[in-house]
Amino acid sequence: MLIEIDTDDHRSGIPPESPLLIEVGRALHDGGMVLTGVLTHAGASYQCSTPEALAAMAEQERAGCVRAAERLRAAGLPCPVVSVGSTPTALSARRLDGVTEVRAGVYVFMDLVMCNIGVCGTGDVALSVLTSVIGHQLDKGWVLVDAGWMAMSRDRGTQAQACDYGYGQVCDDTGRVLPGWVMSGANQEHGILSFDPTLGRGATPPADLAAAFPVGRRLRLLPPHACATAAQFGGYTVLQADGGIADWPRWNHW
Amino acid sequence: MLIEIDTDDHRSGIPPESPLLIEVGRALHDGGMVLTGVLTHAGASYQCSTPEALAAMAEQERAGCVRAAERLRAAGLPCPVVSVGSTPTALSARRLDGVTEVRAGVYVFMDLVMCNIGVCGTGDVALSVLTSVIGHQLDKGWVLVDAGWMAMSRDRGTQAQACDYGYGQVCDDTGRVLPGWVMSGANQEHGILSFDPTLGRGATPPADLAAAFPVGRRLRLLPPHACATAAQFGGYTVLQADGGIADWPRWNHW
């Protein structure tokens, strides 16, 4: 059993200096549980966006979790595992003294939230949803696709960040970003793509939308939040290094 | 093949009076497709909240779809099916002349969005997520549960409505509403329950939060949007009229 440590006052756990920590550790240990250590997740790192702030949060996470482990050990309790990790801190830590495990999830795929936080670029995002153009609303500047929030999830993770990608960044079928094109709206099975000049890097929308995005054209969508998008599917279609395709099932609960 | 008709300028389809309608119908029919009719979905009904507005939207949906069918038939094209439906209009239509099919989805379970629109009450919501209390943040007034957005979805459907239930309305384990208690925050696997006095109908939060919501207490959460919540799961656990339990698998794509 691991005791959750609260290193950033973001959600849950016991603060490293709390008297409750020793009390809980002793109750578990004396009650016959196998006390294996402490874990934390610095969720507050998602609000950081500079390398300095990220490194400081990683150190706060590390120091708090190691301090909790030291207090348990000083009280004569076992604490072999010291587990830290969120994707932003896992990639920003300058030291990991005393840590035995780093847990991070999103870093497997990366996503647009992580691009905004600054720990990756759009070219690093390995998870995308393949979709097809199914129609247009030309007077609204809309391209309609057959992927709505059932495909991308309802997660609008970049909404409060510097760049708001809506429900996803639109790419061509090879995964090359189409600057300014985002999924700005989502119904259950329909996605609405539109052009956002603030994300367009100087690009302009095509004069003939229907010609640029003909019905049947395949596109790829990069997710704001890879966890939420992946959870909408029962598995992954994996492009392997040798060009082959593999099917990876996923276990979809928690 | 059905032609989608745009009866509310909300998303997609061909407007009932558009010359394109006959052109598309003829192209399909002459090209060898089996033209079976027209369908529409008045998604704009989700912005209605009075019986009068709902009935007017239902009539707009019906009249537009029937008109499109009449135009196709007048042009000598087959159009046996006239399919309409969104949950708010399906329950608000005062006449259905000319309609052969009503499609609606949420009405199977109902949800908090439908409560706000006014077509059901919380007692009619048949889908809920069972969860357990796993902790507290007493100084913040938080009760933590083991259902986050992986259980409820990221859908915050009531956010722009009159009553904002966050990620869900909290009920006791029998499904009785606990007035004012909502899931106000959601992490991937953690839900944050807190008391909102504006939804409390005069109730006040308990003086001793940990005693009222002890760790292990089971609660039920009503979803803002039943479709999105159901899509997070591979199946339903169904309470049958005779008290027995059945497992219904679901097909999770579109």
Side-chain angles (χ1 to χ4, degrees):
Chain A
M1 180 161 278
L2 296 154
I3 300 175
E4 186 178 0
I5 307 302
D6 184 355
T7 53
D8 60 0
D9 195 33
H10 185 68
R11 182 173 59 201
S12 56
I14 301 175
E17 300 292 350
S18 168
L20 201 60
L21 175 64
I22 308 302
E23 207 177 307
V24 167
R26 199 173 305 285
L28 291 169
H29 183 63
D30 294 353
M33 303 297 291
V34 180
L35 185 58
T36 49
V38 285
L39 95 169
T40 192
H41 176 269
S45 66
Y46 277 64
Q47 271 79 59
C48 302
S49 59
T50 66
E52 296 67 32
L54 286 162
M57 183 58 73
E59 176 54 18
Q60 179 180 323
E61 180 185 49
R62 184 202 70 81
C65 205
V66 169
R67 171 67 183 145
E70 285 166 352
R71 287 190 61 225
L72 285 167
R73 290 170 190 149
L77 292 162
C79 188
V81 174
V82 180
S83 178
V84 303
S86 72
T87 292
T89 56
L91 292 159
S92 306
R94 295 191 181 155
R95 44 187 285 217
L96 288 166
D97 325 19
V99 168
T100 66
E101 180 182 74
V102 175
R103 310 176 329 280
V106 163
Y107 82 101
V108 175
F109 294 125
M110 292 303 180
D111 57 28
L112 298 168
V113 165
M114 290 300 141
C115 293
N116 276 332
I117 291 174
V119 295
C120 71
T122 51
D124 300 314
V125 180
L127 182 90
S128 63
V129 172
L130 187 65
T131 188
S132 298
V133 175
I134 56 169
H136 310 90
Q137 289 276 20
L138 297 178
D139 54 329
K140 296 177 179 170
W142 288 359
V143 176
L144 300 168
V145 294
D146 64 357
W149 58 255
M150 275 293 285
M152 299 304 292
S153 91
R154 270 288 192 200
D155 203 301
R156 291 275 284 93
T158 64
Q159 193 163 23
Q161 291 185 312
C163 297
D164 182 2
Y165 294 98
Y167 290 91
Q169 165 69 55
V170 183
C171 301
D172 68 14
D173 59 354
T174 70
R176 198 166 42 106
V177 165
L178 301 178
W181 282 95
V182 294
M183 187 189 279
S184 53
N187 298 122
Q188 197 153 339
E189 296 95 357
H190 300 67
I192 296 168
L193 313 186
S194 60
F195 184 81
D196 179 347
T198 66
L199 298 173
R201 303 181 213 157
T204 51
D208 186 343
L209 207 63
F213 294 98
V215 169
R217 179 177 177 187
R218 291 196 152 195
L219 300 167
R220 283 196 178 277
L221 303 165
L222 304 183
H225 190 171
C227 302
T229 299
Q232 300 296 116
F233 295 89
Y236 305 98
T237 301
V238 180
L239 179 61
Q240 293 178 308
D242 66 2
I245 299 287
D247 286 317
W248 291 0
R250 58 173 275 137
W251 185 79
N252 226 11
H253 299 286
W254 66 95
Chain B
M1 179 162 278
L2 296 154
I3 300 176
E4 186 177 1
I5 307 302
D6 184 354
T7 53
D8 59 0
D9 195 31
H10 184 69
R11 181 173 60 200
S12 55
I14 300 175
E17 300 293 350
S18 168
L20 201 61
L21 175 63
I22 308 301
E23 206 177 309
V24 167
R26 200 173 304 284
L28 291 169
H29 184 62
D30 293 354
M33 302 297 293
V34 180
L35 186 58
T36 49
V38 286
L39 95 168
T40 192
H41 177 269
S45 66
Y46 277 65
Q47 271 79 59
C48 303
S49 60
T50 65
E52 294 69 31
L54 286 162
M57 183 57 73
E59 176 55 18
Q60 179 180 322
E61 179 184 49
R62 184 201 70 81
C65 205
V66 168
R67 171 67 183 145
E70 284 166 353
R71 288 189 60 224
L72 286 167
R73 290 172 191 147
L77 293 161
C79 188
V81 173
V82 179
S83 177
V84 303
S86 72
T87 292
T89 55
L91 292 159
S92 305
R94 295 192 181 155
R95 44 186 285 216
L96 288 166
D97 323 22
V99 168
T100 67
E101 179 181 76
V102 174
R103 310 175 330 280
V106 163
Y107 82 102
V108 175
F109 294 125
M110 293 302 182
D111 56 28
L112 298 168
V113 165
M114 291 299 141
C115 293
N116 275 334
I117 290 175
V119 294
C120 71
T122 50
D124 299 314
V125 180
L127 182 89
S128 63
V129 172
L130 188 64
T131 189
S132 298
V133 175
I134 56 169
H136 310 90
Q137 289 274 22
L138 297 178
D139 54 330
K140 295 177 180 170
W142 288 0
V143 176
L144 301 168
V145 294
D146 64 358
W149 59 255
M150 275 293 285
M152 299 304 291
S153 92
R154 270 288 193 200
D155 204 302
R156 291 273 284 95
T158 64
Q159 193 163 22
Q161 291 186 311
C163 295
D164 181 3
Y165 293 98
Y167 291 90
Q169 165 69 56
V170 183
C171 301
D172 68 14
D173 60 353
T174 69
R176 198 165 43 107
V177 165
L178 301 179
W181 282 95
V182 295
M183 186 189 280
S184 54
N187 298 121
Q188 196 153 341
E189 296 94 359
H190 300 68
I192 297 168
L193 313 185
S194 60
F195 184 82
D196 179 347
T198 67
L199 300 172
R201 303 180 210 157
T204 50
D208 186 343
L209 207 63
F213 294 97
V215 169
R217 180 177 176 186
R218 292 195 150 195
L219 300 167
R220 283 196 178 277
L221 303 166
L222 304 183
H225 189 171
C227 302
T229 299
Q232 300 296 117
F233 296 88
Y236 305 99
T237 302
V238 181
L239 179 62
Q240 294 179 307
D242 65 2
I245 300 288
D247 286 317
W248 291 0
R250 59 173 275 138
W251 185 78
N252 227 11
H253 299 286
W254 65 96

